[in-house]
Amino acid sequence: MFEIIKAGGLLMLPILLSSVIAMAIIVERYWTLRVSKVRPKDQLPQVWLWIKNHELDSTKIKELAQSSLFGFVLAAGLRTSKHGREAMKDAIQEAGNHAAHEMEKFLSTLGTIAAISPLMGLLGTVLGMVDVFSDIMLQGTGNTAVLAGGISKALITTAAGLSVAIPAVAFHRSLTRKVDELLVLMEQDSTKLVDAIHADTAKDKK
């Protein structure tokens, strides 16, 4: 393996570094974006139970905000629930934007790696072919070992760049879809809370 990396030339270093960064981002994002961590299933029923039992206070709202990203969104809405439906929806929307930003963290870096890795491989190809033609000019076509070395350098960097880019593209799309799905679920549950709270408020007024 080391010999292959060495044969690829200096551009193998940034390609390898990109692969390490991409792998770290993929592992970190999948761990962070677990449904049980971002949107625990029992969180909304627990909030509704607090409301029904008149147990919801600033301490519980603070704990809710710190428990998960979904809890952060719900807490933002609950803090403004007394100011009307629209104020509550606006607070949830703003908190949702913050949650989306947190969930999308590092995905732009992963997308950049997916885009530049094949370009680095292509650059390695070009440099390898430049070496090949330089050797041809200096030594002619008789020294096949030197020519093979230049062509090998070109092929290795191209293969390495694609080997990093292809999984990076796949995981970037997968993670982006995962974020979108979580945001949709959070929006649906938040809307249920808004409707439930203000439906009860309307009944109380009657």
Side-chain angles (χ1 to χ4, degrees):
M1 179 63 73
F2 178 75
E3 291 301 321
I4 294 175
I5 294 171
K6 185 178 178 181
L10 290 176
L11 277 172
M12 288 296 291
L13 295 178
I15 291 174
L16 286 173
L17 179 61
S18 296
S19 70
V20 172
I21 295 172
M23 181 59 68
I25 291 172
I26 291 166
V27 172
E28 189 274 339
R29 283 294 89 189
Y30 270 108
W31 178 256
T32 301
L33 295 177
R34 288 170 295 152
V35 175
S36 60
K37 183 176 180 181
V38 175
R39 178 186 162 270
K41 291 182 179 180
D42 61 340
Q43 205 152 43
L44 186 60
Q46 180 63 65
V47 170
W48 190 238
L49 185 63
W50 288 340
I51 293 172
K52 285 291 187 183
N53 295 335
H54 304 286
E55 297 176 350
L56 191 66
D57 54 23
S58 58
T59 301
K60 281 188 168 58
I61 290 176
K62 185 177 180 180
E63 291 175 358
L64 180 65
Q66 295 173 346
S67 63
S68 67
L69 285 175
F70 182 48
F72 175 81
V73 173
L74 292 179
L78 291 170
R79 289 192 184 102
T80 58
S81 60
K82 295 181 181 178
H83 301 292
R85 177 188 291 268
E86 291 305 315
M88 189 175 181
K89 288 174 68 176
D90 288 344
I92 286 174
Q93 179 65 43
E94 185 176 346
N97 291 338
H98 173 78
H101 178 73
E102 286 296 312
M103 287 192 284
E104 290 170 353
K105 189 184 293 183
F106 306 128
L107 291 189
S108 61
T109 302
L110 184 60
T112 301
I113 289 172
I116 67 171
S117 294
L119 296 179
M120 288 191 290
L122 179 60
L123 179 58
T125 299
V126 172
L127 293 177
M129 296 310 296
V130 168
D131 288 344
V132 170
F133 286 110
S134 297
D135 291 333
I136 290 174
M137 290 176 62
L138 293 173
Q139 304 180 30
T141 58
N143 194 338
T144 56
V146 174
L147 297 180
I151 295 171
S152 175
K153 176 180 177 181
L155 295 176
I156 288 171
T157 53
T158 301
L162 291 174
S163 297
V164 174
I166 292 170
V169 170
F171 281 110
H172 180 265
R173 291 187 178 181
S174 174
L175 287 166
T176 300
R177 182 176 177 82
K178 188 175 183 67
V179 169
D180 290 341
E181 290 174 349
L182 286 169
L183 287 173
V184 169
L185 291 172
M186 290 166 65
E187 182 180 359
Q188 290 174 345
D189 288 347
S190 300
T191 300
K192 289 178 185 177
L193 181 64
V194 173
D195 291 341
I197 287 177
H198 289 283
D200 280 2
T201 301
K203 288 180 183 177
D204 292 341
K205 285 181 180 179
K206 292 180 181 179

